[in-house]
Amino acid sequence: MRKSRSPRPSSLLGFAVVAGLLFSGCGYHFASSGDALPQSAETIYVSRFGNNTRVTGINDELMRYIKDEIAMHRRLKVVDSPDAADLELSGDVRFAVQTPINFNSALEPTQYNQSMVVSATLRDMHAKKTIWSTHNVSAGEHAPVVPQSTVVTTPTFLQQNLRSSDIAGLTDIQTAQAETSAARDVMMQRLAQNLYSEMAEGF
């Protein structure tokens, strides 16, 4: 009788352990531990991002999410002046667009995709040098604009104060306003998370 060639559980466990060690040795830190930041750095100043888009105020809106994300990790304290900061984060909103992606039989949009791209630079205020930079941190999110295209089980919908029974009573305009705002909020959160992760880990 031929023996099965399927890997034993012990072999699979050994492979998982080795793979885990290799990933940890290669600098993969999924929890954004901040290992790439200077050990002596305790404070950070987030300067006003530039806005290279036609969406007025989108840079100021994004800054609130970035500051909240930095504060949530408790690795750095956000300060209000560059003179009080060990690090300074600056950047630009390079791209922000909302485009239709789904249509009804009359070729009217039923769903839009929102997307943003930013560039950013982290500067050591004591060493007077740039220690990290990126030109392509991005995030996107879909937004239904009519009740019929709204999926009430998505994370974006569940974060709202609406219930599944509420959406049927909304007009198209009300749906578009509510869902677009919710999708924008999720997109901004995700962009701030991506930015912090890349900054803290030096990607």
Side-chain angles (χ1 to χ4, degrees):
M1 182 180 295
R2 298 178 63 182
K3 293 184 177 180
S4 172
R5 293 185 179 181
S6 300
R8 296 179 180 178
S10 58
S11 300
L12 292 176
L13 179 60
F15 176 80
V17 171
V18 172
L21 291 174
L22 288 174
F23 276 113
S24 63
C26 293
Y28 287 87
H29 304 282
F30 298 105
S32 298
S33 59
D35 289 352
L37 300 172
Q39 292 185 357
S40 59
E42 297 180 353
T43 56
I44 185 171
Y45 172 71
V46 182
S47 66
R48 188 170 186 256
F49 274 41
N51 185 4
N52 297 329
T53 77
R54 296 183 178 182
V55 185
T56 303
I58 196 170
N59 52 329
D60 296 324
E61 186 178 354
L62 176 63
M63 280 183 62
R64 296 196 296 270
Y65 290 87
I66 294 175
K67 290 180 178 180
D68 287 346
E69 182 68 20
I70 294 173
M72 184 188 71
H73 287 271
R74 299 182 179 180
R75 169 61 181 82
L76 297 168
K77 179 182 179 181
V78 179
V79 295
D80 296 328
S81 169
D83 296 332
D86 299 317
L87 305 172
E88 180 180 17
L89 178 66
S90 59
D92 293 282
V93 180
R94 298 175 52 210
F95 179 80
V97 68
Q98 179 172 280
T99 54
I101 56 173
N102 284 328
F103 302 84
N104 60 18
S105 59
L107 297 181
E108 297 169 333
T110 60
Q111 190 175 42
Y112 281 79
N113 180 66
Q114 302 182 44
S115 56
M116 284 181 64
V117 178
V118 303
S119 61
T121 299
L122 186 65
R123 183 173 175 80
D124 188 320
M125 301 297 283
H126 301 297
K128 306 295 183 184
K129 67 177 183 180
T130 298
I131 59 176
W132 171 82
S133 65
T134 182
H135 295 287
N136 190 31
V137 178
S138 62
E141 186 67 19
H142 298 325
V145 293
V146 294
Q148 295 81 2
S149 63
T150 302
V151 180
V152 298
T153 56
T154 63
T156 302
F157 183 87
L158 294 174
Q159 287 184 24
Q160 304 177 65
N161 292 325
L162 292 173
R163 290 173 291 189
S164 58
S165 58
D166 297 330
I167 197 70
L170 297 180
T171 65
D172 289 355
I173 293 178
Q174 290 173 325
T175 302
Q177 291 176 338
E179 297 304 305
T180 299
S181 177
R184 187 185 183 97
D185 180 62
V186 172
M187 179 185 65
M188 292 277 189
Q189 289 180 21
R190 189 172 296 136
L191 185 57
Q193 291 168 359
N194 294 343
L195 179 60
Y196 180 86
S197 179
E198 292 195 21
M199 177 188 75
E201 300 304 327
F203 292 152

